Amino acid sequence: MAPVVIVLVSDGSRCLLARQAMFPKGMYSALSGFCDMGESVEEALLREVAEEVGLEVEDLQYSGSQHWPFPQSSFMLACHATVNPDKTQVNIDKAELEDARWFTYEEITEALQNMPRDPRREPPVFWVPPSYAIANQLIQEWANHQQLSRK
């Protein structure tokens, strides 16, 4: 089983989601990547964020874990990461990602409510992984935190 970090990056008011070319149309998710041999979860997370989107993580917080059988048996270690709100320019590694962009709380809450239900129908323009995926848990946690901070 291969260890994988999955991280939802935030600048405090927005979260960063990305998509790979192999994702279903319109789906964006948290960043993820395999841990290298001898690398800690924290080191892998910092490296993956820097490599995939060119951002420097200032703080990280562990959220949870999940076994994921695709594409091979992986053990997902989920975290939230914060970047400096003044340093949010994304530099996408096109070999890894098709797109990455910042999303607002309003966009995220709409995506969480408009999940594709019928595979025969056109999916929403923007949607997130289903509730059984740990990426969804990270996105939901971020949205809940944003909601509380707005009160």
Side-chain angles (χ1 to χ4, degrees), residues 16 24 27 34 42 47 57 61 74 81 88 90 102 138:
L16 182 75
M27 189 183 87
F34 291 97
E42 297 82 2
R47 177 184 51 76
V57 171
Q61 179 182 353
S74 299
T88 59
V90 175
W102 293 100
L138 287 169

PDB file of all heavy atoms in Angstrom, residues 16 24 27 34 42 47 57 61 74 81 88 90 102 138:
ATOM      1  N   LEU A  16      -7.885  26.258  -2.818  1.00  0.00           N
ATOM      2  CA  LEU A  16      -7.310  25.921  -4.115  1.00  0.00           C
ATOM      3  C   LEU A  16      -7.683  24.490  -4.470  1.00  0.00           C
ATOM      4  O   LEU A  16      -7.421  23.565  -3.694  1.00  0.00           O
ATOM      5  CB  LEU A  16      -5.787  26.056  -4.066  1.00  0.00           C
ATOM      6  CG  LEU A  16      -5.070  25.767  -5.377  1.00  0.00           C
ATOM      7  CD1 LEU A  16      -5.258  26.925  -6.352  1.00  0.00           C
ATOM      8  CD2 LEU A  16      -3.593  25.534  -5.127  1.00  0.00           C
ATOM      9  N   PRO A  24     -13.244  13.292 -14.385  1.00  0.00           N
ATOM     10  CA  PRO A  24     -14.487  13.532 -15.128  1.00  0.00           C
ATOM     11  C   PRO A  24     -14.661  15.030 -15.396  1.00  0.00           C
ATOM     12  O   PRO A  24     -14.188  15.858 -14.615  1.00  0.00           O
ATOM     13  CB  PRO A  24     -15.574  13.023 -14.176  1.00  0.00           C
ATOM     14  CG  PRO A  24     -14.872  12.099 -13.232  1.00  0.00           C
ATOM     15  CD  PRO A  24     -13.470  12.615 -13.110  1.00  0.00           C
ATOM     16  N   MET A  27     -14.877  18.211 -12.745  1.00  0.00           N
ATOM     17  CA  MET A  27     -14.517  17.886 -11.366  1.00  0.00           C
ATOM     18  C   MET A  27     -13.158  18.461 -10.991  1.00  0.00           C
ATOM     19  O   MET A  27     -12.181  18.282 -11.710  1.00  0.00           O
ATOM     20  CB  MET A  27     -14.495  16.379 -11.124  1.00  0.00           C
ATOM     21  CG  MET A  27     -14.331  16.060  -9.635  1.00  0.00           C
ATOM     22  SD  MET A  27     -14.196  14.296  -9.265  1.00  0.00           S
ATOM     23  CE  MET A  27     -12.443  14.052  -9.450  1.00  0.00           C
ATOM     24  N   PHE A  34       2.104  11.054  -4.132  1.00  0.00           N
ATOM     25  CA  PHE A  34       2.729   9.962  -3.386  1.00  0.00           C
ATOM     26  C   PHE A  34       3.890  10.466  -2.534  1.00  0.00           C
ATOM     27  O   PHE A  34       4.610  11.382  -2.937  1.00  0.00           O
ATOM     28  CB  PHE A  34       3.242   8.882  -4.343  1.00  0.00           C
ATOM     29  CG  PHE A  34       2.150   8.133  -5.021  1.00  0.00           C
ATOM     30  CD1 PHE A  34       1.732   8.480  -6.300  1.00  0.00           C
ATOM     31  CD2 PHE A  34       1.512   7.074  -4.384  1.00  0.00           C
ATOM     32  CE1 PHE A  34       0.712   7.796  -6.933  1.00  0.00           C
ATOM     33  CE2 PHE A  34       0.492   6.382  -5.002  1.00  0.00           C
ATOM     34  CZ  PHE A  34       0.085   6.743  -6.284  1.00  0.00           C
ATOM     35  N   GLU A  42       4.692  15.470   6.263  1.00  0.00           N
ATOM     36  CA  GLU A  42       4.859  16.911   6.161  1.00  0.00           C
ATOM     37  C   GLU A  42       5.774  17.291   4.997  1.00  0.00           C
ATOM     38  O   GLU A  42       5.476  18.215   4.233  1.00  0.00           O
ATOM     39  CB  GLU A  42       5.434  17.483   7.476  1.00  0.00           C
ATOM     40  CG  GLU A  42       4.531  17.311   8.677  1.00  0.00           C
ATOM     41  CD  GLU A  42       4.622  15.930   9.336  1.00  0.00           C
ATOM     42  OE1 GLU A  42       5.425  15.088   8.889  1.00  0.00           O
ATOM     43  OE2 GLU A  42       3.883  15.694  10.304  1.00  0.00           O
ATOM     44  N   ARG A  47       6.419  19.452  -0.493  1.00  0.00           N
ATOM     45  CA  ARG A  47       6.994  19.224  -1.822  1.00  0.00           C
ATOM     46  C   ARG A  47       5.912  19.190  -2.890  1.00  0.00           C
ATOM     47  O   ARG A  47       6.038  19.825  -3.939  1.00  0.00           O
ATOM     48  CB  ARG A  47       7.792  17.906  -1.831  1.00  0.00           C
ATOM     49  CG  ARG A  47       8.374  17.557  -3.205  1.00  0.00           C
ATOM     50  CD  ARG A  47       9.072  16.202  -3.205  1.00  0.00           C
ATOM     51  NE  ARG A  47       8.260  15.120  -2.663  1.00  0.00           N
ATOM     52  CZ  ARG A  47       7.245  14.525  -3.304  1.00  0.00           C
ATOM     53  NH1 ARG A  47       6.885  14.917  -4.506  1.00  0.00           N
ATOM     54  NH2 ARG A  47       6.582  13.529  -2.732  1.00  0.00           N
ATOM     55  N   VAL A  57       3.784  26.458   1.577  1.00  0.00           N
ATOM     56  CA  VAL A  57       2.891  26.232   2.717  1.00  0.00           C
ATOM     57  C   VAL A  57       3.488  26.851   3.969  1.00  0.00           C
ATOM     58  O   VAL A  57       4.658  26.655   4.266  1.00  0.00           O
ATOM     59  CB  VAL A  57       2.647  24.717   2.921  1.00  0.00           C
ATOM     60  CG1 VAL A  57       1.907  24.452   4.226  1.00  0.00           C
ATOM     61  CG2 VAL A  57       1.883  24.137   1.737  1.00  0.00           C
ATOM     62  N   GLN A  61      -2.307  21.180   8.951  1.00  0.00           N
ATOM     63  CA  GLN A  61      -3.052  20.516  10.016  1.00  0.00           C
ATOM     64  C   GLN A  61      -3.583  19.189   9.487  1.00  0.00           C
ATOM     65  O   GLN A  61      -4.231  19.141   8.437  1.00  0.00           O
ATOM     66  CB  GLN A  61      -4.201  21.410  10.465  1.00  0.00           C
ATOM     67  CG  GLN A  61      -5.059  20.808  11.538  1.00  0.00           C
ATOM     68  CD  GLN A  61      -6.231  21.717  11.919  1.00  0.00           C
ATOM     69  OE1 GLN A  61      -6.334  22.849  11.482  1.00  0.00           O
ATOM     70  NE2 GLN A  61      -7.122  21.177  12.726  1.00  0.00           N
ATOM     71  N   SER A  74      -3.773   2.614  -2.146  1.00  0.00           N
ATOM     72  CA  SER A  74      -3.108   3.757  -1.526  1.00  0.00           C
ATOM     73  C   SER A  74      -3.710   4.039  -0.157  1.00  0.00           C
ATOM     74  O   SER A  74      -4.876   3.751   0.092  1.00  0.00           O
ATOM     75  CB  SER A  74      -3.275   5.015  -2.384  1.00  0.00           C
ATOM     76  OG  SER A  74      -2.710   4.837  -3.644  1.00  0.00           O
ATOM     77  N   ALA A  81      -3.772  22.917   4.498  1.00  0.00           N
ATOM     78  CA  ALA A  81      -2.563  23.733   4.457  1.00  0.00           C
ATOM     79  C   ALA A  81      -2.943  25.178   4.218  1.00  0.00           C
ATOM     80  O   ALA A  81      -3.908  25.471   3.503  1.00  0.00           O
ATOM     81  CB  ALA A  81      -1.623  23.245   3.365  1.00  0.00           C
ATOM     82  N   THR A  88      -0.229  34.130  -3.508  1.00  0.00           N
ATOM     83  CA  THR A  88      -1.174  33.122  -3.988  1.00  0.00           C
ATOM     84  C   THR A  88      -1.120  32.894  -5.491  1.00  0.00           C
ATOM     85  O   THR A  88      -1.986  32.219  -6.040  1.00  0.00           O
ATOM     86  CB  THR A  88      -2.612  33.504  -3.592  1.00  0.00           C
ATOM     87  OG1 THR A  88      -2.919  34.787  -4.159  1.00  0.00           O
ATOM     88  CG2 THR A  88      -2.781  33.539  -2.079  1.00  0.00           C
ATOM     89  N   VAL A  90      -0.554  31.123  -8.606  1.00  0.00           N
ATOM     90  CA  VAL A  90      -0.417  29.702  -8.896  1.00  0.00           C
ATOM     91  C   VAL A  90       0.417  29.510 -10.156  1.00  0.00           C
ATOM     92  O   VAL A  90       0.196  30.171 -11.168  1.00  0.00           O
ATOM     93  CB  VAL A  90      -1.812  29.047  -9.059  1.00  0.00           C
ATOM     94  CG1 VAL A  90      -1.694  27.600  -9.471  1.00  0.00           C
ATOM     95  CG2 VAL A  90      -2.612  29.176  -7.778  1.00  0.00           C
ATOM     96  N   TRP A 102      -8.283  29.120  -7.552  1.00  0.00           N
ATOM     97  CA  TRP A 102      -8.863  29.457  -6.262  1.00  0.00           C
ATOM     98  C   TRP A 102     -10.387  29.531  -6.381  1.00  0.00           C
ATOM     99  O   TRP A 102     -10.908  30.065  -7.347  1.00  0.00           O
ATOM    100  CB  TRP A 102      -8.314  30.800  -5.776  1.00  0.00           C
ATOM    101  CG  TRP A 102      -6.856  30.748  -5.460  1.00  0.00           C
ATOM    102  CD1 TRP A 102      -5.835  31.178  -6.254  1.00  0.00           C
ATOM    103  CD2 TRP A 102      -6.254  30.226  -4.280  1.00  0.00           C
ATOM    104  NE1 TRP A 102      -4.635  30.954  -5.632  1.00  0.00           N
ATOM    105  CE2 TRP A 102      -4.863  30.375  -4.416  1.00  0.00           C
ATOM    106  CE3 TRP A 102      -6.762  29.648  -3.111  1.00  0.00           C
ATOM    107  CZ2 TRP A 102      -3.971  29.963  -3.430  1.00  0.00           C
ATOM    108  CZ3 TRP A 102      -5.859  29.239  -2.142  1.00  0.00           C
ATOM    109  CH2 TRP A 102      -4.497  29.402  -2.292  1.00  0.00           C
ATOM    110  N   LEU A 138     -12.329  17.064   3.230  1.00  0.00           N
ATOM    111  CA  LEU A 138     -11.486  18.253   3.370  1.00  0.00           C
ATOM    112  C   LEU A 138     -12.230  19.511   2.914  1.00  0.00           C
ATOM    113  O   LEU A 138     -12.193  20.549   3.582  1.00  0.00           O
ATOM    114  CB  LEU A 138     -10.196  18.104   2.558  1.00  0.00           C
ATOM    115  CG  LEU A 138      -9.150  17.148   3.095  1.00  0.00           C
ATOM    116  CD1 LEU A 138      -8.057  16.916   2.059  1.00  0.00           C
ATOM    117  CD2 LEU A 138      -8.557  17.662   4.406  1.00  0.00           C
TER     118      LEU A 138
END
